[in-house]
Amino acid sequence: MGVVNVTPDSFSDGGRYLDHAAAVAHGRALVAAGADVVDVGGESTRPGADPVPVPDELERVLPVVEALAPVVRVSIDTRKAEVAEAAVAAGATLVNDVSATLHEVAAATGAGWVAMHMRGDPKTMQRDPRYADVVDEVRTFLVERATAAAAAGVEEVWIDPGIGFGKTVAHNLELLARLDELVGTGLPVLLGTSRKRFLGVLLAEADGTADPTPPGDRLEGSLATAVWGYAAGARMVRAHDVAATVAAARAVAAL
Ligand code: HH2
């Protein structure tokens, strides 16, 4: 799953694809690089981000969804029912839902649905997140959401642990180390580690520097965790650097 952020403020590529033509060209380039799905989003969910009004989000994503849907499977990355509905009408066939609340939209439209785990909302989620057992809590939550979606008639349901969404570095590592427990539910797992802050923290620790390495310098960590995810049984990874991720995945696929 390649990422097209039609936003001014996404954490790693904000502002680069706010222009519709640039976003569509980027989506096409991701397909050429090997993406099977292109995930179009019009609202950053980075820690501390402010919500985007519905009309603004629609204006950002709909022309991009329309242009890419004939070329590739498009998922819509949104927390809003109105945006998900309009994007599916424009050609998206997967609702990538970081709020895990939109399964009724998927049921009503026939789209697939990704339920992602997030603690709280992006504005506040990184304020001291705590779990008794993060993997147990995330798995229980996701299975409950997936069961509700299946009961509502959604035929394609994915689960995603939501790396970085209300989690410390230790929580993210625990979820990765025990990813097999999510895979063991039998539900297809989507994993998003690409360029995330915990990778910058780990790389900085290894280098002995205080500040996390910037998002553009997190490629090796992104690739390593993508391959780790596939090896643990994840069926899809969400990536900004698609060509490198596909090449890395292919290198171990034969195993
Ligand atoms: N991560 C981001 C956004 N959407 N969706 C799923 N299913 N899983 C993820 O891990 C995930 C996601 C954050 O990355 P990005 O879109 O690049 O940044 P921003 O939220 O700042 O736009």
Side-chain angles (χ1 to χ4, degrees), residues 66-196:
E66 257 166 36
L68 291 175
V71 181
V72 66
R73 182 170 201 198
V74 173
S75 71
I76 177 70
D77 186 348
T78 188
R79 299 186 283 157
K80 301 190 186 79
E82 296 97 314
V83 175
E85 275 161 16
V88 172
T93 60
L94 187 62
V95 175
N96 177 24
D97 176 11
V98 304
S99 69
T101 59
L102 301 181
H103 66 270
E104 298 289 357
V105 176
T109 59
W113 184 59
V114 178
M116 196 200 78
H117 178 274
M118 168 165 59
R119 169 62 66 80
D121 61 43
K123 192 85 190 152
T124 58
M125 65 189 179
Q126 287 307 105
R127 290 186 196 154
D128 194 24
R130 286 169 197 238
Y131 302 84
D133 181 325
V134 65
V135 180
D136 273 357
E137 278 188 46
V138 166
R139 191 195 55 234
T140 302
F141 171 82
L142 292 175
V143 168
E144 185 275 314
R145 298 278 66 214
T147 305
V154 184
E155 285 179 11
E156 180 190 5
V157 180
W158 293 76
I159 58 170
D160 181 330
I163 297 295
F165 286 83
K167 281 123 191 158
T168 63
V169 173
H171 293 142
N172 293 324
L173 293 175
E174 185 83 15
L175 282 162
L176 286 171
R178 293 166 57 195
L179 200 63
D180 57 324
E181 295 181 35
L182 293 185
V183 172
T185 63
L187 294 158
V189 172
L190 168 64
L191 181 68
T193 59
S194 183
R195 299 185 183 171
K196 285 193 176 163

Side-chain angles (χ1 to χ4, degrees), residues 179-242:
L179 200 63
D180 57 324
E181 295 181 35
L182 293 185
V183 172
T185 63
L187 294 158
V189 172
L190 168 64
L191 181 68
T193 59
S194 183
R195 299 185 183 171
K196 285 193 176 163
R197 188 173 184 281
F198 81 107
L199 297 171
V201 173
L202 294 176
L203 288 172
E205 269 172 16
D207 289 348
T209 46
D211 294 329
T213 56
D217 292 338
R218 299 174 187 165
L219 177 61
E220 294 87 345
S222 303
L223 297 178
T225 48
V227 169
W228 173 272
Y230 277 129
R235 294 258 297 278
M236 178 152 64
V237 301
R238 186 178 180 277
H240 300 86
D241 302 287
V242 169

